[in-house]
Amino acid sequence: MPVEQARPKARPRSPGSLIASQIEALAGNRVTVAMKHERPWASITFAGTRHSFAVDWQGTAEPDGIDNLAKALPDHAFAIPGYFVADILVTEQSDLRLLVEALSITDPVEKPRNF
């Protein structure tokens, strides 16, 4: 009788991983996004996480590619059920790399859910 192997449980995707994948999609998948670190964040009224990313352009530099991405990030509407991105900032920029800080906040109205 064959032994049934346990299937790994799907891991919930964190807000940080969803932000990273949406940055990649915004750039037309011409970048790779690596999480540098995450830190809990809180104020009197809100709780969330501060995320730090390195965004690396793949291949040769396109004249305006990384610059266009840097300009698009602050106005991008990230879709993260149960959270919202309250702040996103490019802290460093070169021809092939961005360093990005983002703040995701737990939405007080929509409860976070497993992805």
Side-chain angles (χ1 to χ4, degrees), residues 1-110:
M1 180 179 280
V3 176
E4 189 174 319
Q5 292 188 341
R7 299 175 83 189
K9 290 184 179 181
R11 290 179 47 178
R13 295 191 65 193
S14 71
S17 67
L18 291 171
I19 293 169
S21 65
Q22 290 179 42
I23 292 172
E24 288 174 349
L26 183 61
N29 294 314
R30 294 173 301 207
V31 298
T32 56
V33 180
M35 177 79 65
K36 293 180 66 180
H37 62 274
E38 292 183 316
R39 288 185 300 249
W41 177 93
S43 70
I44 289 243
T45 52
F46 296 106
T49 305
R50 172 81 49 198
H51 313 274
S52 179
F53 303 99
V55 180
D56 292 304
W57 195 266
Q58 298 302 299
T60 58
E62 293 181 24
D64 297 322
I66 205 84
D67 194 45
N68 289 340
L69 178 59
K71 289 176 183 173
L73 282 173
D75 295 325
H76 182 70
F78 289 89
I80 306 170
Y83 298 86
F84 61 92
V85 175
D87 186 31
I88 190 157
L89 176 69
V90 175
T91 59
E92 194 174 313
Q93 180 176 344
S94 70
D95 289 343
L96 295 172
R97 176 176 253 210
L98 298 176
L99 297 181
V100 177
E101 298 282 332
L103 176 62
S104 64
I105 302 291
T106 303
D107 190 326
V109 176
E110 181 183 351

